[in-house]
Amino acid sequence: MSTTSGKTLGGRRAQAARNDEVILEAARAVFLDDPKAPIAAVAERAGVGISALYRRYAGKEDLLRQLCHDGLRRYVAEAESALAEPDDWTAFAGFLARVVDADVHSLTVHLAGTFTPTEEMGRDAMRANELATALFERARASGRLRPDVVVPDLGLLLESCAAVRVPDPERTGQLRRRQLAVLLAGLSTAPDADPLPGPAPAAGEFDWRWRPRE
């Protein structure tokens, strides 16, 4: 009896995990198209009842918060992985490429200010900045990063790649990788390069976006 109950419980948990994945994928698609869409649109796209969605998330804000926190965790994971790469420039460029492929910054642009971040998200954001700074400094130490680039430039670079979008997801990925290659070429040192127009973006300059919207 206990074995059967354990299998049943395990099966329910697996199904719940699958349902949650389907809901989050649907929410991502819905809110990237329209951040003001109702939560019912997520349930419809996911093919689940609204009650099933509410069992997992108390409301739309909780769902938006989860989406963005998942993206932040992915960013941290990619940065931690990149730090294990021995070549400084390869670590830096590879990190940016994987973050672009994960499409983390589409959520940042579309959903910032639509929910109140938690303290845990604040800690993860600080960790993300520390890791990105470490990769940035390694890239600078390699001699391949132009001296007038600053860490906050990376956020703008990633957002510009995320802005590239066409109906075909595969083609979107190809175009984003191309855009990243162009931008990385611009970050690389060149003896005759003109100085970047200033002033450079300051640390925290874009934090205003995370304040809840009126």
Side-chain angles (χ1 to χ4, degrees):
M1 179 67 70
S2 62
T3 300
T4 301
S5 298
K7 288 181 179 178
T8 301
L9 184 58
R12 287 175 179 170
R13 285 174 176 167
Q15 183 60 48
R18 285 192 292 272
N19 286 345
D20 199 43
E21 185 177 342
V22 169
I23 288 171
L24 288 173
E25 189 62 33
R28 180 185 176 89
V30 167
F31 293 136
L32 282 180
D33 285 342
D34 180 11
K36 296 182 179 179
I39 198 169
V42 176
E44 181 179 358
R45 188 179 182 99
V48 302
I50 193 70
S51 60
L53 195 153
Y54 276 120
R55 281 197 295 271
R56 292 167 175 79
Y57 302 98
K60 179 178 176 179
E61 183 171 347
D62 285 346
L63 188 51
L64 294 172
R65 187 183 295 111
Q66 182 68 49
L67 283 174
C68 278
H69 203 173
D70 285 349
L72 180 56
R73 290 188 182 110
R74 177 68 180 273
Y75 184 97
V76 168
E78 295 296 356
E80 289 174 339
S81 176
L83 286 172
E85 164 61 48
D87 182 84
D88 295 332
W89 183 260
T90 299
F92 177 69
F95 161 68
L96 294 176
R98 289 190 296 274
V99 171
V100 167
D101 288 345
D103 197 18
V104 169
H105 283 71
S106 286
L107 292 173
T108 300
V109 173
H110 284 75
L111 304 185
T114 60
F115 61 89
T116 302
T118 63
E119 290 184 5
E120 184 182 3
M121 290 184 73
R123 290 191 295 270
D124 285 345
M126 290 179 63
R127 175 64 174 159
N129 186 65
E130 290 169 358
L131 293 167
T133 299
L135 288 164
F136 179 89
E137 293 302 337
R138 283 183 57 184
R140 190 185 295 287
S142 75
R144 294 187 59 181
L145 187 65
R146 57 183 298 157
D148 49 356
V149 175
V150 296
V151 174
D153 282 315
L154 300 185
L156 296 176
L157 177 151
L158 291 167
E159 288 186 21
S160 68
C161 290
V164 177
R165 186 180 298 274
V166 295
D168 181 358
E170 183 176 356
R171 182 58 178 152
T172 293
Q174 293 172 345
L175 291 171
R176 286 177 175 173
R177 277 297 190 107
R178 181 181 176 87
Q179 176 72 359
L180 177 61
V182 170
L183 295 171
L184 280 173
L187 293 183
S188 301
T189 54
D192 57 348
D194 293 331
L196 292 173
E205 186 169 355
F206 301 99
D207 288 356
W208 62 269
R209 296 185 300 187
W210 294 99
R211 299 172 193 147
R213 298 171 188 169
E214 296 295 335

